[in-house]
Amino acid sequence: MLAGIAGLVVAALSAWLVWYVLVLQKVASSSLPWGPKWLAVAVSGAIFRFGKWYLRYSDNLAEHAAAGYWKDGQQYVMAWHPHGAFAIAALCFTSHYWADDFPTGRRGAQFVCVASLLLRVPFLADYLLLCHARSQDRKTFNNLLQAGATVAVQPGGLHEQVETDDTKERLFFPANLGFIRLAIQHGVPLLPVYSFGENQLFRTAEWVRRINRFFYKNFRIGNLIMFGHGGIPTSPLLPNPLMMPVPGRRLHIQFGKPVDVGPKEENPSEERVLEVFKRYSAALQEIFKECAPKYLPKEVVEHGLEIHLRSKS
């Protein structure tokens, strides 16, 4: 019986690999929507509703849209923070809004660029691509902006993921600030988004971070070890119910005010990029000051928001 099950698994993975090579690999760099919208909305909607039941979730996107920030096809480079252990805010919540073309109301006007590794994971890749996720390479990002789409991105990436700490809020930005350079090159405003509670969805410990840092520095992969329910160490390599976030935890996504980057410029100077980054950081601090006391533990709020620009190596 076990041999039969193993054979079915191998056959299914082999079929998916063919599907990936023939279809999904091309979709990952496409500037067009893929798949039926009803399917994307149905699947992401089920995950969204479960997430709202499982966690104490809220966001201000409807109010943000009502305030006129998305009218007349306004385009953004949208960056959300922090990454957290598994980017639950994006995976379970904003993915549904993007699948449903909210708030733009236009098919193909909202995309998100994610690590290409995620688009090689069986079935997760299908879900992400249905919800308008695309590969986070410069060419794809640039093509999406040229097509007039709003593009979301998580600048902290794997580095920020492995540094996730439920006792403090720390953001890590890449040295080249590529998302800001692209925004300037296209003359598109930056839209800061903060997921309050993302870091607190899973318990963390320094020894776990040390292990994950080792794998990240040597193999460029994200969290392999994490605390599951009851403080039991577990791993995404072996998906299981212990990997679920702590039930009932607070999660709020706050969409902030756009940050103007000025006129488009093909080759912005380092000084201009850093000036925009300074204003963007100030916008994040403003969001944190306004919302953190409502949605984060008192001791986390008192620590404040740390913003780190990584050095070039």
Side-chain angles (χ1 to χ4, degrees), residues 148-163:
T150 283
V151 184
V153 66
Q154 207 296 310
L158 296 180
H159 182 96
E160 192 168 284
Q161 182 187 32
V162 301
E163 293 293 338

Side-chain angles (χ1 to χ4, degrees), residues 32 51 53 91 101 104 107-108 118-119 124 136 160 201-202 217 242 259 264 275 277 282:
L32 299 173
W53 169 81
L91 183 65
D101 303 318
T104 63
R107 186 85 164 141
L118 297 177
L119 302 181
L124 174 62
Q136 194 173 308
E160 192 168 284
L201 293 179
F202 296 89
K217 290 179 180 178
L242 293 176
V259 176
K264 65 171 61 177
E275 188 275 330
F277 175 65

Side-chain angles (χ1 to χ4, degrees), residues 32-310:
L32 299 173
W34 174 74
K37 179 177 178 177
W38 67 264
L39 180 60
V41 171
V43 176
S44 64
I47 294 173
F48 183 93
R49 289 187 292 274
F50 174 78
K52 288 192 71 173
W53 169 81
Y54 189 84
L55 302 170
R56 289 187 296 142
Y57 173 77
S58 60
D59 65 63
N60 74 324
L61 184 54
E63 293 87 345
H64 198 263
Y69 289 116
W70 297 84
K71 68 180 181 180
D72 301 326
Q74 177 61 60
Q75 180 186 18
Y76 296 110
V77 170
M78 186 185 106
W80 83 89
H81 320 269
H83 188 291
F86 291 109
I88 297 299
L91 183 65
C92 299
F93 298 104
T94 55
S95 59
H96 177 56
Y97 290 139
W98 259 229
D100 200 24
D101 303 318
F102 181 76
T104 63
R106 294 186 295 114
R107 186 85 164 141
Q110 298 168 228
F111 287 90
V112 55
C113 282
V114 302
S116 58
L117 176 64
L118 297 177
L119 302 181
R120 299 189 186 107
V121 179
F123 311 115
L124 174 62
D126 305 68
Y127 171 72
L128 293 175
L129 292 169
L130 272 174
C131 296
H132 307 327
R134 297 296 184 266
S135 177
Q136 194 173 308
D137 61 84
R138 185 177 181 83
K139 182 179 179 181
T140 301
F141 204 138
N142 187 68
N143 288 343
L144 291 169
L145 290 174
Q146 281 185 339
T150 283
V151 184
V153 66
Q154 207 296 310
L158 296 180
H159 182 96
E160 192 168 284
Q161 182 187 32
V162 301
E163 293 293 338
T164 298
D165 187 337
D166 65 338
T167 68
K168 60 185 68 172
E169 298 294 296
R170 297 183 298 170
L171 307 183
F172 296 86
F173 288 84
N176 68 342
L177 294 172
F179 76 107
I180 291 180
R181 291 181 189 278
L182 280 168
I184 295 173
Q185 288 170 353
H186 290 267
V188 174
L190 294 163
L191 183 64
V193 179
Y194 205 97
S195 301
F196 291 93
E198 182 76 62
N199 285 340
Q200 289 71 41
L201 293 179
F202 296 89
R203 299 177 181 90
T204 63
E206 182 57 31
W207 69 266
V208 173
R209 280 190 289 276
R210 284 198 296 268
I211 293 174
N212 287 326
R213 284 187 199 117
F214 170 81
F215 284 107
Y216 169 68
K217 290 179 180 178
N218 291 279
F219 304 103
R220 286 295 182 265
I221 54 178
N223 285 349
L224 285 184
I225 304 294
M226 57 174 288
F227 274 135
H229 287 295
I232 301 173
T234 185
S235 172
L237 293 177
L238 297 171
N240 62 83
L242 293 176
M243 287 181 55
M244 295 289 289
V246 178
R249 286 286 170 94
R250 192 76 170 92
L251 180 63
H252 174 80
I253 303 177
Q254 183 73 16
F255 290 76
K257 297 177 182 177
V259 176
D260 183 54
V261 301
K264 65 171 61 177
E265 182 180 355
E266 182 61 32
N267 294 301
S269 66
E270 192 72 16
E271 291 74 20
R272 182 176 177 187
V273 172
L274 289 175
E275 188 275 330
V276 173
F277 175 65
K278 182 179 180 180
R279 290 192 287 110
Y280 182 80
S281 298
L284 284 173
Q285 292 287 4
E286 182 180 339
I287 295 173
F288 187 86
K289 182 179 180 181
E290 176 189 352
C291 300
K294 304 175 189 175
Y295 304 115
L296 293 179
K298 182 179 178 181
E299 59 274 17
V300 177
V301 176
E302 291 175 348
H303 183 86
L305 173 62
E306 296 180 22
I307 295 179
H308 301 272
L309 179 58
R310 295 166 58 193

